Amino acid sequence: MRNLELRQSECHSGFEDLANVHCISIDCDTNYLYAATSRGIVGFDPSNQQIVCNVSLIDEAYLPSDGSGRVVGIQHLPDQQSVCVATLEGEVILWDSTTNQLECVGSVDTGLTGMTWSPDQELVILTTSRDTLVMMTKDFDPIIEVELHSEEFGEQKPVTVGWGKKETQFHGSAGKEAALKKEEKVGKISEWDDGLTRVSWRGDGQLFSVSSINSKTGTRNVRVWNREGVLQSSSEILNGLEQSMAWKPSGSLIACSQRLPHRHDVIFLEKNGLKHGEFTLPFDKLQVKVVEMMWNVDSTVLALWIEELPNGDTSVGNYTPKTYIQLWTVSNYHWYLKQSLEFNAVKESKVMAVQWDPEHVYCIHIMCYGGNYLKYTWSWATNHSQGVSESDGAYVAVIDAGRVMLTPFRSVVVPPPMCAYYIQFSSNVNQVFFGPTQNSNDVGVVLADGTVALYEFTEDRSVVDKSVCIQAAGGNGFNRTVSSHRQRGIYRIINNGKPVDCSSPLCWSHFTWISKSKILAVAMETNCSESRIYELHLENGPSDTEDQLVVSSSTMVDGSVYCIHSNTEDNVVVQLSDGSLLRYDTTTCTATPWTLKTGLQVRFPQPCVQMNICHFAGEEAVLGLTERYRLYVNDVEVASNCTSLAVHEDFLLLTTHSHTCRCVSLDNSVNALLSMGENSVLDESIRRVERGSRIVVAVPNDTRVVLQMPRGNLEAIHPRALMLSAVKRHLDTLQFNQAFIAMRKHRINMNLIYDHNPEVFLENVDKFVQQLDDINHLNLFLADLKAEDITISMYNAVYPKDRQSNIILAEKVDLVCDSVRTALQEIDQSKYFLSIITTLIKKTKPELEEALLKIKKLKDNPTATSGCSADEALKYVFYMVDVNDLYNVALGTYNFDLVIMVAEKSQMDPKEYLPFLNKLRKMESNYQKYSIDKHLKRFNKALCHISKCEDHWEECVQLIEQQELYVEALRLYDIKSVQYQKIGSLYAEHLQGLRQYEDAALMYSRCNHDDEALEMYIKCGNWRQALCIAIKLQQSNQQLAELARQLASNLHSHRHYEDAAYLLEYYVDDIEEAVVSLIEGCLWQQALLVIYRHQRLDLIETNLKPGLLQNYNTYTALLESMVLQFERHKERLQVVRETKQKRLQGLFDEDEPYDKDGDLFSDTSSIGRSSVGSIGRSSQSQYSQYSSSNSRVSGRSSKNRRKAERKKYSLKEGSEYEDLGLLDALSGIIQKVDKMKDDIASLLKMLVQYHYDNKAVDLQSALDKLCKLIDRSIHQIWKTEIETDSSTQPVLGPKSTANSIAMAMMDANRTSKPLNVEELAFHIPPKINKDVSWKLQQLQVKS
């Protein structure tokens, strides 16, 4: 669907030295053109329009002085900085361009007919007049000389397997007569064959083909030789084979021309000599001859050099033929004539030499007889309409010879080479352009004869233009489905009242239709440093006169125009060949530099073959795409793998080399595009496409995007980003039905209808129901509802990141169902009965009972206006709800008619449910409901009903005990009733079995079971309530004292020393035991108070002071051990960290066995040390071992798992997590010291009180020393934040080198895996209480 569009054209004339050129060669380094004439070698510089050299071969007698000599080949040799030419007389001459020296490097007495160098310029092939072939090296050392015509086929001769004679073979539709048909005689060569030998190399230089005339048979043959000069194959005998030949550089086919009795073809031969396809030239069989044919560098374009043949009335001697240069391309197995350069039948315009540029793919060089040099540069372009409204038909035009094939992709998708219809012209077409935005369907066509045809689009299908041909319609029995064009006029360009001179082909280009009556165009200039943009005004003349495009103004620009693009009349951008951008003002006819808002001028770094104008985040930008797939936004490169682009309303569409179609929102800023990368495959803006796909057109105001595959076929897709954007527009304008149809067709989650704007949806539920109208559509929407906001989950890419969701997910489904049901009931309850049922079933807690009751009501009272019957409704419910669940719901209504209705429509066996229902019918009402509820496992309801059946008390108690319904049962009976007392006792026993003694004691108390309550209070340790119950039971003082001593013993064992001392002091009257309990709890002041309250001062010497000294010794030893342990762990942590850092820097051997989690395995483990050590050798094996370890750990008990977790961070030296274990141990020491401060402070006060000053000073100093050690070390042990080692980050900048960057990247690859949440907690330092109020001022020792 692409055309070749002219980008640059040059014409240089008036150089007599370049007249009557024989052949040309291009110097790619200097862009010089070297031409061989009958006088010598001429060098021409097109950029300066100067002759750079003129080497005479006549002076050295290499050519005859009378000018009759001929050069048969010329080649520039960049490695040798010289030009090699071969003459017809047999001389091979080398001219050194640096020294201007001529040297004859070889001579053939019999004369030469051609010289062809290999693509790598290592070999040269010379063909002689005696039909021999000479192969030489680049140093002109002969390799081999062979005869061109051999009786042998070659090394690749096909092998005959002997499958019968020709007479016995199957001949298809030709019938048996074909077996008897005699072979046709081979015809002689035509009189216009130049008789010369042609040589063409394959692109890789391994094979070359030779087309020559066999002097014995008088026919042309094509033979293939390899690089060693060995014949490989010979072509089959072909009648009418002509002189021209070119081997496709890609190596697949050899192109030749063949004249048949009824047509003139270009045929293709395989390297084995067999024919493989053809196409027919658009000429009569005896109208033209193919002089030469040549492929461009990438094998995509075949150029034909064609000359007209003289007719019978023309004298051949004085005849000057009309010449054509045609460019052919192939797509989908169809050959298209894309460009036709027609040269007038004037001697000065006769083409003498044609050659593709060896570097630029679509650049061709042409030399004419009169010394005119022409250079044309094309690029691929998709010509499509540029409208932005729905009236634009998304037309795409394809050029094929004299027809323009049109397809409106908004209406139909027709794959090439077919089309919706085509416009036929009498002349070949060279360019197509579409109308301005307001008339975007109009089309203009530039013909090879220099005229411009304009066609306007009409909606009237009854009007059919004669030149418009509808394929598969019209007289073929089909109705037309698309509107077509009609001719507006054929225009000729007029300047200063005269038709412009079109002596050179394609002298006008870059036609751009900017308004209904204005067209911009660029004329060919002889000076490449400047161009002139012409503004053409349409003037339709009277019926008997020719329509005219009158030049109304012209604008000169510095540089060669490369591309022009316009999206409105006031917005025209012109690109020059150096990438500069100009803004063309149609009102003043001036071109000024294209600038940004900042005032900076915009210039593409490279010329772009495709341009467009769009707005990113409201800022105007120019898009450019180069032939090398680089995408520029203004002068910034945003992608280097973009193969095609298209601008949609809200998106920039791109295809990439990674085989994706990307939809970039135009809401992004230009800077945001720089971070555009390959996101997740779940991103809605990315769609995978077939390899090599390109965008043909994106239909405006639609979601259809047409892609073309490399082989030529089409695919219409609807990118999800465009679909979601369209759905959002429909929902914003309350077009619910259009949104639903699009979502259903493209499988977009229906929740978006509500989640897009919940408030608007709820306000317009009635419109939603009325627009959808179809019950099935409403049910589909309801069935898709789920408690999720898909605008922040599934489709978050197309909604703002800061979007505030007002949806309460837990209430969403119920809210939508209730709102829709209300609207359905108000509009037409009967019509939407099934949808109403769906809203009940779809709720978070399905209201199946309500749904069944509505169906039962419909069955009892059917109406003629009802949308469905009760049976249909019930069957519909069966699709959504399991039949067994529905049966249970019906049974739970206690309505046996409803149960029977459900059971009859299901697949249930009557033998299963009828006996059960009959049994239930015979029961008393409450017991019947109890039985149903128990069957349905609704035990709460069953308890309510069985509690009303006094005759079934035992069964009620059994239900309570089995289902543990004690709390529910207690609420059903009066607290003074016997039933309450019985259930309360059972509940207390149940709680006692669960070891919930305090709750059991409360229940025993409510049931007046005081003895049991006392026992429970004793077990739970509630000594106050226990004493209350004992007093309530009127126990004696001795019993109370024994009870108090028992309670004190329990409290003492649980370290409740103060409560135990209280009981011993006040209820047992054992003062000494009370003091001992307080001293054991380090409650020094409380103990001292009891001693003085009871005047037991003796206990100070016997109990208090020994206790103080014992605690002093304990804390002193503990602090000393903690200091040693803290310093040891701190030093070890430093060593471990240094070891890990060295391992990350690669200083340790990577193959060194690493005992990962070695301490988790016992000595008798079945896993050997070798298998554990091998884990560290491979990351893959490490992952596998980890996975299998997880599956094994999952079977352990929770106790073992906790044990394994503790051992994971053990302090074993060399373990993987030793550093985390050390951090954990250090953190534990710090927290323990923090807790000790209050106890030591209390101890210090008592030591001072009883004159143990030295011991108090030592203890305070020891604790203070440890606190200062911790304070100094904490910033070394724990970082303030988890820092990333800067050495592992690639260091970029002017001072970096390739080695430094590579080393930094290697270090980054060695970094360890990221920390998880559990490990992250180890890196947070513990909180330290820095309050020093625990110190005694009098114990401070001044240094």
Side-chain angles (χ1 to χ4, degrees), residues 320-391:
T320 300
K322 185 177 182 180
T323 311
Y324 305 87
I325 303 296
Q326 295 186 344
L327 305 184
W328 293 80
T329 64
V330 64
S331 176
N332 221 11
Y333 305 101
H334 176 78
W335 283 88
Y336 296 85
L337 175 55
K338 292 297 184 182
Q339 292 286 304
S340 179
L341 282 62
E342 300 182 3
F343 294 83
N344 297 329
V346 180
K347 188 174 183 179
E348 287 72 14
S349 299
K350 181 182 178 181
V351 175
M352 301 303 296
V354 180
Q355 183 176 336
W356 283 104
D357 193 276
E359 285 193 348
H360 196 290
V361 180
Y362 304 111
C363 179
I364 198 168
H365 305 267
I366 303 173
M367 287 299 302
C368 297
Y369 183 87
N372 296 340
Y373 166 69
L374 300 172
K375 179 182 176 182
Y376 298 96
T377 302
W378 292 273
S379 69
W380 289 111
T382 302
N383 299 118
H384 61 85
S385 54
Q386 301 287 340
V388 295
S389 64
E390 293 186 359
S391 61

Side-chain angles (χ1 to χ4, degrees), residues 57 62 298 316 349 380 431 463 506 556 588 661 676 725 766 807 888 976 984 1032 1043 1063 1086 1093 1096 1272:
L57 297 180
Y62 294 128
D298 67 351
V316 177
S349 299
W380 289 111
Q431 184 184 348
V463 178
L506 302 178
M556 183 67 71
T588 61
C661 178
M676 182 177 62
S725 179
D766 52 345
I807 302 175
N888 292 336
K976 298 180 180 180
K1032 181 180 178 182
L1043 176 61
L1063 289 173
Q1086 292 88 329
R1093 186 164 53 228
R1096 290 293 306 274
R1272 289 195 308 269

Side-chain angles (χ1 to χ4, degrees), residues 26 55 93 119 257 272 292 328 349 385 388 500 600 739 741 759 771 808 816 823 846 854 887 906 940 1009 1030 1057 1294:
I26 308 299
V55 182
I93 305 162
S257 61
N272 57 11
E292 295 290 351
W328 293 80
S349 299
S385 54
V388 295
V500 296
L600 296 177
I741 292 173
E759 294 80 6
Q771 289 185 26
I808 303 176
V816 174
K854 286 184 176 294
Y887 173 80
S906 68
N940 286 344
H1009 295 173
Y1057 299 108

Side-chain angles (χ1 to χ4, degrees), residues 32 181 1315:
Y32 290 173
K181 187 176 181 180
L1315 299 175

Side-chain angles (χ1 to χ4, degrees), residues 675-721:
S675 60
M676 182 177 62
E678 293 295 336
N679 299 332
S680 169
V681 293
L682 299 178
D683 191 346
E684 298 293 348
S685 65
I686 300 177
R687 176 192 174 109
R688 300 291 296 178
V689 295
E690 187 176 333
R691 179 186 295 270
S693 300
R694 295 175 183 266
I695 298 174
V696 175
V697 65
V699 181
N701 276 342
D702 201 342
T703 60
R704 178 183 293 176
V705 177
V706 181
L707 304 177
Q708 186 170 27
M709 308 302 113
R711 59 184 176 273
N713 60 309
L714 301 181
E715 180 180 352
I717 65 172
H718 296 263
R720 184 53 59 96

Side-chain angles (χ1 to χ4, degrees), residues 105-140:
V105 295
S107 177
V108 178
D109 296 337
T110 57
L112 296 174
T113 59
M115 178 186 70
T116 307
W117 285 78
S118 62
D120 56 4
Q121 294 188 351
E122 293 291 331
L123 299 176
V124 60
I125 303 296
L126 301 176
T127 56
T128 69
S129 301
R130 290 188 177 181
D131 294 338
T132 60
L133 180 148
V134 179
M135 180 183 293
M136 306 176 72
T137 66
K138 66 178 181 179
D139 298 324
F140 303 100

Side-chain angles (χ1 to χ4, degrees), residues 25 298 365 883 916 979 1059:
S25 181
D298 67 351
H365 305 267
V883 63
F916 175 67
Q979 293 86 346
D1059 289 342

